[in-house]
Amino acid sequence: MASGDIAYETIIGLEVHAQLLTASKMFCGCSADYAAAPPNTHVCPVCMALPGALPVINRLAVEKTIRAGLALNCTIAGHTLFARKNYHYADLPKGYQISQYELPLCHSGWLDIEAEGAARRVGIARAHLEEDTGKLTHMGEAAGDTRLSAGRGAATLVDLNRAGIPLLEIVTEPDLRSPEEARAYLVKLQQILRYLGVSSGDMEKGAMRCEANVSIRPVGQTQFGTKVEVKNLNSFRSVKLALEYEVARQIAVLEAGGRVVQVTMGWDEEHGRTVVQRSKESADDYRYFPEPDLPPLEINPAWVAELRAALPELPDARAARFAAVYALDERDAALLAGERATADYFEATAAALGGTAPAARTAANWITGELFRLMKAAGVEIEQVQVGPAALADLLGRVERGEINANSGKRVLGQMFETGQPAGRIIDELGLAQVSDADALAAAVDAVLARYPDEVAKYRAGKESVLGWLMGQVMRETRGKGNPALVRALLAKALEG
Amino acid sequence: MLHITIHAARRMLRAGDIGARELTAAILERIDAVDGQVRAYLTLTPELALAAADRADAALVAARAAGTTDDLPPLLGIPLAIKDTITTEGIRTTCGSRILENYIPPYQSTAMARLQQAGALILGKTNTDEFAMGSSTESSAYFATRNPWNLAHVPGGSSGGSAAAVAAGECLAALGSDTGGSVRQPAGFCGVVGLKPTYGRVSRYGLVAYASSLDQIGPLARDVTDAAELLGVLAGHDPLDSTSVPAAVPAYAQMLDRPVRGLRVGVPREYFAPGMQPEVEAAVRAAIQVLADLGAEVREIGLPHTDLALPVYYLIAAAEASANLARFDGIRYGLSAAAESLWETYRETRGQGFGPEVKRRIMLGAYALSAGYYDAYYLKAQQVRTLIRADFDAALAEVDVIACPTGPTTAFRIGEKMADPLSMYLTDILTLSANLAGLPAISLPCGFDGAGLPIGLQLMAGAFQEPLLLAAAFAYEQAAGWHTRHPTL
Ligand SMILES: [Zn+2]
């Protein structure tokens, strides 16, 4: 990033909070599936912080955190501690959040990303477990006021359904060098969390949230500049836009002879700018200390080894395998491997088609082409597609064998996608079975040649391009069902005769 | 009959010599007669108690007819009192604080659930120092409880209501909670038996937390046998409390009469420091002589970090309390002061709802955890706590039981120490270490001072050595007989 005479380097570190996909909350038995529930119905003495209630660690949340840590190449602690992070807010029932401070569950990992054509290894400082807060809804005059003024008819409503949902916090080293790298890191992280079934990673629904620490420094300077924390980044797009805005802002401050002040900024999506939320002077002292209600958690190395062995093949490795084994081009391989369900769908289809490289490429072409087009138009994910891999392979086999032609195949797939019916039935219903009967096709060829003597003459006079047009007329005569290869051969023979 | 023990009452109930309603009604009458003076109870639940007594009577009648009284739950028809720091579903639980004045818990504590499953019935909730922070029950936001032996004196604290209720015949036994001596010190002041179990022995689920790493629920009872009976009901692993320990629960009450011959009793020299009331030292030394006469091997031991227990305790307990009490914010339950903003709601609710001692400890604890002070205070305190534990580990490698006074003095006068928090804190100086080390400890009566106030003998043992501890206490109790004395009101 350059401006004026001085070139600046951007330094970004990210903190991501991802809700874990567990049946129950982090420290109580309440259902974690609160999305459609009326307010304060997924609550109990523990997550409402009634006097005397105590937390109990959710083992599945620990397991999912370890799996995420392993996928991020982290060291898994043998001995890990929960801690109380103390602060008062209406969405925090206990007045402290149970989190991890010293001795997090996972630390010292990395994630390799690619952005703007270059590869970068992003250090993962730590990945730890904590609990989510409740949700506040500001009404009337309290809206937009973070101090929750309740004056003159305004009110803030508290919903504790979300309080205590397990959260995985992943903190990078300050290794990212551009907003695009930050975006690429998040995309990759989301892919991995989804692959592992650890989190839905859904940023729009708040299941994955991001905060960034941004600073700039003149190129060549080793000391970091003053960092600014940017919050309220609710999509990949807002991460990139907010960081671009913030970097430009900091450069402008320095260029104008000012200095960057350590603050917390919020991204104002509507106006496309970052705004100061809180200055450092008013920053909280969280008074962390080990959670006395939870004994230190000892992680059995054998369990970690078991989880490591059971890790699925991750997106990068899978894409590389697709490219190597099936000779897919890299773009298609990455596209298919990016989501686990898509990759599984592709491999199942390829296998049902015989599992050879050509069969896989056929499957890849149809999935990344026609199927993705249909999904996009219908706005559905691969999990909701009614055409299973076996059904798709059945259709593609019919095309390969010449039972129907490729264009009919697309039409049939469209119907299968809509109705969930098998290819065979749709082909029958639409009468699309390709005519490969040479006598029937020869009759159609003769009829066309008889109808267009001028064109036949032109061809015979050397204008070979007329062949394609005649071909089209024969296909029309067969209502599109003619086997194109056979039609072409018959037509050529008849014209020469 | 007002000073009947649980084990005696159970025999009579099963034999049909008395009914549960009759027993309960008699105790309720006693409460009526004397609680105006003693003021042990914050909340009484006579209707619930009598209804439960009727159910117990029905079960007793049926069992007698079927000849199956031996199979009845161990506390069937036994009326008990519960310290108000322990959650009781459907029964107001104030913790002696204005901030929970109208709080009725919608869930049950594990201790209460176990008592009810054992057939016990609940007379009401007893007074406590606010959130168990105190040593005299004077910091209750409602009123001070009085010592049944002398109404001008405190009953001790923070479980002063429970201790006074047991001593005054206002219940058969009671539950207290002990964070730095809050069961044992009032037991000593009121001449009853108070047991703090090993940390993790009894579930804390539903005990309103003061200092989570120190709190334990424990019984206050007329004699060692009753304390053992109650421990047997309360003890055991609870999946709702991650600090409760999945160790087997011995039949404590059946293991009391093991002989003390050869029992190694250690007497820590640091526990007989100058400033101790001479009558206390004399009574405790005489009690230790009784154990020696019974065949115990008595020897002096050292617990060198004893003088650090007080500052370590007040740092750790206050630090944990500062977080534990953060939930009382006026948002979900309890007192909620109407105010213009969230921060004013906090300030007003907590300002009005907490008393001075609670505020003092919250501030002390928040300070000890603050950035820049954590290492010097909280972390250092944890390190010294490890040294105190090591003292006990070393001592208990050489002796089975440690014997010492429960407190340096007998019950002081009401109002005497309220203006001087430090002198109040010093009254717990001999009981704090067992909490810091997580060890079981018991206080039982060992005599009276010149003014007729009870003196407490404290015994401590290794973690989960309650059978040994109770057997030593039982042997002394049976030999000395102090437990048969009761105050006249
Ligand atoms: Zn819950």
Side-chain angles (χ1 to χ4, degrees), chain A residues 139 141-142 145 147-156, chain B residues 338-345:
Chain A
M139 317 277 289
E141 304 218 347
D145 180 358
R147 293 182 64 86
L148 303 192
S149 170
R152 284 160 297 167
T156 296
Chain B
E340 285 294 296
S341 73
L342 180 66
W343 302 105
E344 282 168 52
T345 302

Side-chain angles (χ1 to χ4, degrees), chain A residues 48-56 84 86 88-90 93-94 96 147-151 285 287-290 292-293 295, chain B residues 87 103 106-107 204-207 212 239-240 242-243 323-324 326-327 332-333 340-343 346 366 369-371 374 378:
Chain A
M48 278 196 296
L50 293 190
L54 296 171
V56 177
R84 292 185 182 178
N86 296 286
H88 281 288
Y89 207 55
K94 292 189 292 295
Y96 56 84
R147 293 182 64 86
L148 303 192
S149 170
D285 172 1
R287 304 190 308 278
Y288 282 100
F289 72 101
D293 286 333
Chain B
T87 294
Y103 170 63
Y107 80 101
R204 292 184 298 114
Y205 190 74
L207 170 63
S212 313
L240 298 177
S242 306
T243 63
N324 283 332
R327 66 188 60 196
R332 282 148 292 124
Y333 47 78
E340 285 294 296
S341 73
L342 180 66
W343 302 105
Y346 289 157
L369 291 172
S370 301
Y374 180 87
Y378 184 78

Side-chain angles (χ1 to χ4, degrees), chain B residues 138-169:
Chain B
E138 291 167 288
S139 88
S140 165
Y142 300 96
F143 45 79
T145 297
R146 290 156 191 279
N147 192 314
W149 294 91
N150 184 331
L151 296 171
H153 288 247
V154 301
S158 62
S159 310
S162 286
V166 174

Side-chain angles (χ1 to χ4, degrees), chain A residues 17 19 34-35 132 135 162 190 194 200-209 234-235 381 384:
Chain A
H17 288 91
Q19 289 184 333
Y34 65 93
D132 211 341
K135 189 167 156 279
R162 196 180 71 176
Q190 185 194 53
R194 286 180 170 173
S200 77
D202 201 329
M203 289 190 83
E204 281 70 23
K205 289 185 184 146
M208 183 164 132
R209 311 194 275 271
N234 300 326
S235 65
E381 300 295 320
Q384 291 123 35

